[in-house]
């Protein structure tokens, strides 16, 4: 296991819907019409009727249709162990937005030995890229489908100390200093980079007013039921309404009103007890102890992996006990307003957020699906109280401030649908929700603010189903069926504690069918009546990962009929649909090159057909990297993906003073260290990528 993989630690009917029908439901419609962009303009934008260009447009279609099986024209790849991006014949790629690249014309030049300081880092592209979204230029104001210029917003999740700093990290991390803390805070969050296509290559527009580093020190508003709550108040912010920074930014989402959602995942790893001896520190009370341990972090048992707590008092929970509660949220960013304060959306719950995938219900309420990535944690959905209306952009901005959060229960009881396996239910996390012993959630939590800060405990109380580390969720653009990657759960069915004092990891059952699950699976569900707000659903295992020739699962292989020696993979993580319903799968397996996983090679990206269940490998990443984050230009001629933590692996330990780089991607063998970066891939014949 990589030491950085903290979340692994125990703790279509395109041809039948007119373009106007779709555009009329999108925000920006009025100005779109007023500016006279009618049918004649569609040709200019490359959009004829029948060419639904974005997930947004596809997702707002009324009615459902049965998708047809897809065809795959590219020659699918086998595994690779090269220190390179490998793509099919007939495709080309380029690297953009490497860690340390300039965000602005005045940004200091990146120093190849990583001796750049914290101030420089705030002016440069951040580290360990993750979720990402391409916003066509002017999308927010006129519904533009510009495929040659836009704002590329990219998450930066965490830092890999032995590559991120100029010298090796000492055992116990004791040589961290104040600038290292600042630099690592400024390297996380999200970057907004104005990009454009020029002479067949993508380039950043460095003098653009939109470029921005949103990082661990950016002021942001807290909105929703937990705003101003006593549990959100600190000495530095007695109002509980202004938080400082975002970090641990894993997967992402975006909204029909063209804002970006960045998801805070392993945030508790940054909190500790400062310079005190953990054995000499006690929790203020039993309740605080239970809360800290339930989130597996910031506890004296789980010492900080970074030393922020020794140099920045807000990360010492003995000094600022509530600061930790201000992280673990989804943050909404308006990329088109560089002066706007990002918003922490407390109505969507506090946990180790992976990503956020939206759907519009038939009544136009907004539904957001989310996973909590830790072993045996849960799957959630948020349903907005109010409805999306393209004519009221200002009100749409408030839709994620108020609504109901639900948690999923997957049951083994047979589904009624012939093509699905089991039933499931959504349980609302409200004060009125009944729990065992004739009580209600309101007997455990004083108000919704407290319940949302302690979302995991509320979900425990209603008996939610512990899952095999929920990573990304994706909504099919036509059927609205929801797919989730359950990356692995080596503790399932074992005696290892789920959290100190808590229940054990449950045994294999239903949607989590393997004990000591090292390879992961993709599960899908269909909401009752195809209504994303429904309280009941039916589910199935779409694929069980792992090579069937090497790893026998007996009867459990039902979902693995589509796995073969060529496409075998483990630990599915990133997941997204393109407009035609291709399911793009990205992997984050810790031991892909290790002997036990022989044949699986480096982490890669595959494309699956939800209808035929065929899976083809499309791309393989460099050594020690994870492939994550995915977004397309509206014309789907370009796909952007991220290479995270190249060179990270078993051969590199945090305790090593000098890194043993197994990768020098993308700068080549003369480089001193690998650099996380974005890769743009296109078809040389200009066709749709992946088709
Ligand atoms: Fe940041 Fe769960 O991956
Ligand atoms: Ca990872
Ligand atoms: Ca992930
Ligand atoms: Ca992962």
């Amino acid at each position: 296991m990589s030491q950085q993989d903290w979340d692994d630690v125990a703790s279509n009917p395109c041809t039948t819907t007119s373009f106007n029908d779709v555009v009329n439901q999108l925000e920006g419609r009025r100005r779109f019409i007023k500016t006279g962009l009618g049918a004649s303009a569609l040709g200019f934008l490359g959009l004829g009727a029948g060419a639904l260009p974005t997930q947004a447009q596809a997702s707002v279609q009324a009615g459902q249709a049965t998708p047809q099986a897809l065809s795959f024209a590219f020659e699918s790849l086998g595994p690779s162990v090269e220190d390179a991006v490998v793509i099919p014949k007939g495709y080309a790629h380029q690297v953009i937005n490497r860690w340390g690249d300039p965000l602005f014309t005045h940004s200091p030049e990146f120093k190849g030995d990583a001796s750049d300081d914290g101030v420089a880092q705030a002016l440069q592209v951040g580290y360990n890229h993750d979720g990402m979204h391409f916003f066509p230029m002017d999308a927010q104001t006129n519904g533009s489908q510009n495929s040659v210029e836009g704002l590329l917003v990219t998450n930066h999740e965490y830092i890999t100390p032995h590559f991120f700093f100029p010298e090796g990290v000492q055992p116990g991390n004791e040589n961290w200093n104040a600038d290292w803390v600042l630099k690592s805070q400024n390297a996380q969050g999200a970057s907004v980079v104005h990009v454009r296509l020029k002479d067949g290559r993508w380039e950043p527009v460095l003098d653009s007013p939109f470029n921005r580093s949103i990082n661990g020190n950016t002021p942001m508003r807290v909105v929703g039921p937990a705003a101003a709550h006593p549990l959100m108040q600190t000495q530095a912010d007695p109002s509980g309404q202004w938080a400082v920074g975002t970090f641990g930014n894993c997967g992402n989402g975006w909204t029909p009103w063209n804002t970006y959602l960045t998801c805070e995942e392993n945030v508790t790893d940054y909190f500790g007890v400062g310079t005190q001896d953990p054995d000499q520190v006690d929790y203020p009370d039993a309740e605080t102890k239970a809360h800290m341990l339930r989130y597996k972090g910031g506890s004296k048992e789980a010492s900080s992996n970074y030393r922020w707590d020794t140099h920045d008092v807000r990360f010492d929970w003995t000094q600022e006990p509530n600061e930790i509660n201000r992280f673990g949220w989804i943050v909404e960013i308006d990329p088109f307003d560089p002066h706007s304060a990002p918003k922490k959306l407390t109505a969507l719950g506090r946990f180790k957020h992976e990503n956020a995938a939206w759907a519009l219900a038939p009544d136009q309420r907004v539904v957001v699906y989310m996973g909590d990535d830790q072993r045996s944690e849960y799957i959630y959905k948020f349903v907005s109280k109010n409805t999306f209306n393209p004519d009221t952009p200002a009100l749409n901005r408030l839709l994620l401030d108020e609504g109901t959060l639900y948690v999923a229960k997957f049951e083994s009881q047979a589904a009624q649908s012939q093509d699905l396996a089991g039933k499931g239910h959504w349980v609302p996390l409200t004060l009125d929700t009944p729990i065992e012993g004739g009580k209600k959630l309101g007997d455990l939590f004083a108000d919704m603010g407290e319940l949302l800060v302690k979302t995991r405990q509320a979900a425990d109380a209603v008996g939610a189903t512990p899952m095999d580390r929920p990573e990304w969720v994706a909504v099919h653009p036509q059927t609205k069926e929801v797919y989730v990657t359950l990356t692995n759960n080596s503790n399932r069915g074992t005696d290892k504690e789920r959290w100190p004092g808590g229940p054990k990891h449950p045994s294999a059952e239903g949607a989590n069918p393997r004990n000591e699950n090292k390879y992961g699976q993709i599960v899908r569900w269909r909401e009752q009546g195809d209504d994303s707000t429904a309280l009941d659903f039916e589910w199935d295992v779409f694929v069980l990962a792992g090579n069937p020739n090497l790893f026998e699962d007996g009867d459990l292989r039902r979902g693995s009929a589509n796995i073969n020696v060529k496409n075998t993979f483990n630990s599915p993580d990133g997941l997204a649909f393109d407009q035609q319903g291709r399911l793009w799968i990205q992997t984050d397996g810790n031991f892909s090159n290790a002997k036990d996983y022989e044949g699986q090679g480096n982490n890669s990206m595959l494309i699956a057909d939800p209808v035929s269940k065929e899976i083809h490998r499309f791309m393989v990443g460099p050594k020690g990297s994870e492939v994550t984050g995915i977004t397309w230009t509206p014309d789907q001629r370009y796909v952007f993906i991220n290479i995270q933590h190249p060179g990270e692996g078993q051969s590199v330990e945090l305790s090593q003073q000098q890194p043993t780089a197994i990768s020098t991607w993308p700068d080549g063998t003369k480089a001193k260290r690998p650099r996380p970066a974005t890769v743009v891939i296109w078809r040389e014949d200009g066709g749709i990528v992946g088709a």
Side-chain angles (χ1 to χ4, degrees):
M1 181 179 69
S2 143
Q3 293 205 22
Q4 279 68 48
D5 204 354
W6 309 126
D7 48 14
D8 202 34
V9 177
S11 58
N12 146 35
C14 296
T15 52
T16 58
T17 305
S18 84
F19 180 72
N20 281 341
D21 287 350
V22 171
V23 169
N24 284 347
Q25 295 184 61
L26 288 172
E27 185 166 11
R29 145 191 161 181
R30 293 163 102 189
R31 245 191 276 190
F32 186 87
I33 294 166
K34 277 180 189 159
T35 52
L37 277 171
S40 62
L42 302 181
F44 169 74
L45 295 169
L47 308 171
L52 283 170
T54 70
Q55 183 188 334
Q57 291 168 340
S59 296
V60 296
Q61 291 174 92
Q64 307 300 321
T66 306
Q68 304 299 304
L70 299 162
S71 60
F72 294 91
F74 65 90
E75 189 184 341
S76 53
L77 303 172
S80 161
V81 294
E82 285 182 55
D83 189 29
V85 167
V86 182
I87 50 177
K89 284 188 197 110
Y91 281 81
H93 81 281
Q94 74 168 109
V95 174
I96 61 167
N97 288 355
R98 296 168 300 183
W99 161 53
D101 278 348
L103 282 175
F104 311 100
T105 48
H106 60 281
S107 299
E109 196 176 337
F110 176 72
K111 297 174 181 166
D113 63 356
S115 60
D116 313 62
D117 65 14
V119 173
Q121 179 62 69
L123 303 171
Q124 299 169 333
V125 173
Y127 203 85
N128 273 346
H129 308 35
D130 207 319
M132 174 171 57
H133 192 74
F134 177 89
F135 293 90
M137 216 54 191
D138 303 323
Q140 213 178 64
T141 46
N142 64 17
S144 166
Q145 297 301 313
N146 194 330
S147 287
V148 297
E149 185 170 6
L151 300 180
L152 189 63
V153 190
T154 307
N155 283 352
H156 302 287
E157 189 182 24
Y158 66 95
I159 57 107
T160 308
H162 45 270
F163 296 139
F164 183 74
F165 297 126
E167 64 229 64
V169 178
Q170 302 295 325
N173 298 345
E174 66 263 22
N175 62 333
W176 277 67
N177 58 46
D179 186 66
W180 281 21
V181 171
L182 180 68
K183 184 178 175 183
S184 57
Q185 289 172 346
N186 288 348
Q188 299 187 48
S191 58
V192 181
V193 181
H194 185 164
V195 293
R196 69 182 167 210
L197 188 63
K198 194 177 173 193
D199 302 328
R201 308 282 291 180
W202 286 89
E203 61 174 25
V205 183
L206 294 184
D207 58 356
S208 170
F210 297 107
N211 292 355
R212 193 175 178 192
S213 164
I214 294 157
N215 57 49
N217 289 300
T218 305
M220 29 196 85
R221 287 173 57 205
V222 180
V223 301
H229 193 275
L231 285 168
M232 298 290 280
Q233 296 169 1
T234 63
Q235 293 167 72
D237 172 30
S239 79
Q241 296 182 74
W242 286 94
V244 176
T246 184
F247 45 84
N249 308 75
C250 186
N252 75 297
W254 55 287
T255 65
W257 47 97
N258 282 296
T259 58
Y260 184 79
L261 302 176
T262 183
C263 304
E264 297 178 341
E265 191 190 24
N266 294 310
V267 294
T268 54
D269 296 314
Y270 299 85
F271 294 84
V273 298
T275 53
Q276 302 169 84
D277 176 355
D279 293 333
Q280 302 301 313
V281 177
D282 210 350
Y283 297 96
D285 53 65
E287 201 175 325
T288 303
K289 178 176 181 177
H291 177 50
M292 299 277 272
L293 294 181
R294 183 63 186 87
Y295 279 78
K296 291 190 190 112
S299 62
K300 62 197 187 83
E301 285 83 358
S303 66
S304 172
N305 294 306
Y306 307 93
R307 300 319 312 233
W308 294 9
D309 54 321
T310 59
H311 295 279
D312 187 342
V313 69
R314 68 190 174 108
F315 296 98
D316 177 347
W317 61 261
T318 67
Q319 307 284 319
E320 277 284 21
N322 287 340
E323 183 71 6
I324 198 168
N325 293 332
R326 291 143 67 92
F327 297 89
W329 306 102
I330 289 182
V331 180
E332 184 175 7
I333 293 168
D334 181 355
F336 293 99
D337 180 359
H339 304 295
S340 58
K343 297 194 298 182
K344 299 220 171 188
L345 305 172
T346 65
L348 276 62
R350 175 174 176 265
F351 42 92
K352 295 189 179 174
H353 280 282
E354 182 71 21
N355 86 323
W358 64 270
L360 278 185
D363 66 2
Q364 301 296 295
R365 279 183 291 168
V366 179
V367 177
V368 182
Y369 294 99
M370 302 166 284
D372 181 353
D373 180 10
Q374 201 146 29
R375 289 174 182 150
S376 304
E377 291 297 342
Y378 310 129
I379 292 172
Y380 298 84
K381 80 172 174 185
F382 167 85
V383 179
S384 67
K385 180 184 177 198
N386 297 312
T387 56
F388 174 74
N389 179 348
D391 292 335
T392 57
L395 292 178
N396 292 337
R397 296 295 184 95
L398 304 174
L399 286 173
L400 303 184
D401 290 10
E402 196 178 359
T404 304
L405 186 65
Y406 298 83
V407 68
K409 279 176 111 157
F410 286 77
E411 291 170 3
S412 295
Q413 185 188 1
Q416 287 177 337
S417 308
Q418 297 234 319
D419 59 332
L420 297 172
K423 294 191 174 190
H425 311 284
W426 292 104
V427 183
L429 299 178
T430 63
L431 298 173
D432 293 334
T433 303
I435 56 174
E436 274 188 2
K439 293 183 172 178
K440 297 186 288 189
L441 280 180
D443 295 320
L444 302 182
F445 305 99
D447 47 42
M448 279 307 294
E450 184 189 4
L451 185 155
L452 289 163
V453 168
K454 302 176 178 175
T455 302
R456 282 183 168 181
Q457 293 93 312
D460 294 342
V462 301
T465 301
M467 309 296 288
D468 287 343
R469 289 188 56 201
E471 299 249 30
W472 288 48
V473 190
V475 180
H476 190 288
Q478 284 96 39
T479 67
K480 307 283 183 75
E481 285 174 5
V482 191
Y483 288 63
V484 63
T485 46
L486 299 166
T487 200
N488 55 54
N489 184 354
S490 53
N491 283 358
R492 180 168 292 278
T494 72
D495 285 339
K496 292 176 188 166
E497 280 189 327
R498 184 167 154 208
W499 65 86
K504 309 291 185 188
H505 295 272
S507 293
E509 186 186 10
N512 303 282
R514 294 194 282 210
N515 281 327
E516 298 185 55
N517 176 13
K518 292 179 188 167
Y519 318 118
Q521 66 267 20
I522 297 177
V523 165
R524 63 176 166 185
W525 68 87
R526 187 183 303 151
E527 304 275 16
Q528 190 172 59
D530 298 321
D531 180 348
S532 305
T533 68
L535 296 180
D536 297 296
F537 62 89
E538 296 192 329
W539 61 266
D540 195 24
V541 177
F542 178 69
V543 59
L544 278 172
N547 185 333
N549 293 335
L550 297 176
F551 313 113
E552 295 297 337
D553 277 312
D555 294 343
L556 300 174
R557 299 231 56 91
R558 188 169 63 90
S560 279
N562 42 352
I563 292 290
N564 54 57
V565 173
K566 194 169 185 182
N567 72 8
T568 179
F569 67 94
N570 73 83
S571 305
D573 189 337
L575 193 74
F577 280 102
D578 65 20
Q579 300 155 45
Q580 287 80 32
R582 289 177 206 85
L583 182 64
W584 296 64
I585 303 165
Q586 301 170 316
T587 75
D588 177 21
N590 284 327
F591 303 111
S592 291
N593 277 320
K595 204 174 175 190
D596 286 354
Y597 288 68
E598 197 171 347
Q600 301 206 9
N602 296 350
N603 279 306
S604 66
M605 180 163 70
L606 308 100
I607 309 178
D609 182 345
V611 177
S612 70
K613 289 190 165 188
E614 270 183 73
I615 299 177
H616 298 272
R617 196 185 314 274
F618 177 79
M619 173 256 173
V620 188
K623 285 188 178 195
S625 72
E626 148 185 4
V627 183
T628 184
I630 184 165
T631 185
W632 297 262
T633 52
D635 63 10
Q636 287 191 189
R637 291 190 171 107
Y638 295 89
V639 61
F640 300 77
I641 60 99
N642 284 318
I643 297 298
Q644 191 187 84
H645 61 73
E648 196 174 287
Q650 290 170 294
S651 66
V652 179
E653 297 296 335
L654 284 174
S655 58
Q656 285 186 297
Q657 292 204 29
Q658 292 302 320
T660 306
I662 57 169
S663 169
T664 53
W665 186 91
D667 294 344
T669 50
K670 287 185 181 162
K672 290 186 174 146
R673 61 199 65 230
R675 295 166 77 181
T678 299
V679 172
V680 197
I681 305 172
W682 64 93
R683 247 169 79 169
E684 290 174 316
D685 68 1
I688 287 177
V689 289

